[in-house]
Amino acid sequence: MPDTFPGHDGDPSRRVLVAEDGSPVVSVCLPREAASVPEARRLVRRTLTGWDLPDLVDTAELIVSELASNAVRHARHGTFRLTVRRRGAGSVRLEVIDKCQSPPVRKTAGAEDDNGRGLALVEALSERWGTEPLAWGKRVWADVAPDDDPSDPAAAAGPHPFATTTVQIIYVLTVVALVAWLGVLIAEGPR
């Protein structure tokens, strides 16, 4: 199949594939450097826009940003692979594959911590996420689906109180900050 995804520039490391079920898959190998994180976001945006899935773009960009950042920070090889796989009607799976066998660890970040909230965001924003060990590394994936999936019983019940990505992020960060604040209060003990 020819490389035809939006914005394809002929780079042989970028491939358009077809999954066993016939759905499109875009895959790219990126260098393990900070500049690859915005490149991963751009690839996701172009791909989802080309697949006419604009409602997933913002959420997918945030998720892939976290997954790619983890690969840049923690992998032990010069590259990692980003794959965007179309699934069903209107959903996608984002995958980051690297050659580090250590699974990602979800941390509880304190109020003063600069890092440690990424996987909490991935969990909050994705339909589901996980990791698969490979013989030579691991695959970390997240499924992104539209908020108004008609097969979702919760969607049929009415609008979700955290219907937009921005509100979801604010909610998650607020909960994380409150938990950190409570942790500090408990650690200080009674006065």
Side-chain angles (χ1 to χ4, degrees):
M1 177 176 180
D3 290 330
T4 57
F5 70 88
H8 176 68
D9 58 7
D11 183 344
S13 68
R14 299 173 193 227
R15 300 182 295 171
V16 174
L17 309 169
V18 178
E20 290 176 5
D21 64 0
S23 59
V25 177
V26 173
S27 186
V28 60
C29 191
L30 296 167
R32 191 175 64 87
E33 56 190 42
S36 292
V37 176
E39 178 60 26
R41 285 194 305 266
R42 283 189 295 274
L43 176 76
V44 165
R45 176 171 289 281
R46 288 190 313 251
T47 301
L48 296 184
T49 300
W51 289 346
D52 197 27
L53 298 172
D55 294 345
L56 301 183
V57 171
D58 292 338
T59 300
E61 278 186 315
L62 283 169
I63 290 171
V64 83
S65 188
E66 294 301 332
L67 298 181
S69 292
N70 283 346
V72 167
R73 242 182 252 117
H74 303 294
R76 299 293 178 243
H77 189 264
T79 61
F80 66 94
R81 179 160 292 283
L82 166 63
T83 301
V84 184
R85 179 182 314 267
R86 185 149 187 179
R87 299 169 40 97
S91 66
V92 296
R93 174 167 284 187
L94 306 168
E95 300 176 355
V96 170
I97 301 169
D98 64 52
K99 291 189 177 181
C100 176
Q101 291 185 317
S102 300
V105 177
R106 184 172 172 214
K107 298 177 182 174
T108 303
E112 301 299 317
D113 293 334
D114 291 333
N115 297 313
R117 293 175 183 82
L119 291 177
L121 275 173
V122 170
E123 184 174 322
L125 296 175
S126 65
E127 187 176 60
R128 64 183 165 272
W129 75 281
T131 184
E132 298 171 18
L134 304 171
W136 42 265
K138 69 178 172 302
R139 173 185 293 117
V140 183
W141 56 269
D143 291 340
V144 182
D147 289 334
D148 58 354
D149 181 2
S151 65
D152 181 5
H160 191 278
F162 309 115
T164 68
T165 302
T166 304
V167 174
Q168 290 173 0
I169 293 168
I170 291 169
Y171 173 77
V172 169
L173 292 176
T174 302
V175 169
V176 168
L178 285 173
V179 168
W181 177 68
L182 286 172
V184 169
L185 288 176
I186 291 169
E188 288 179 354
R191 292 182 185 207

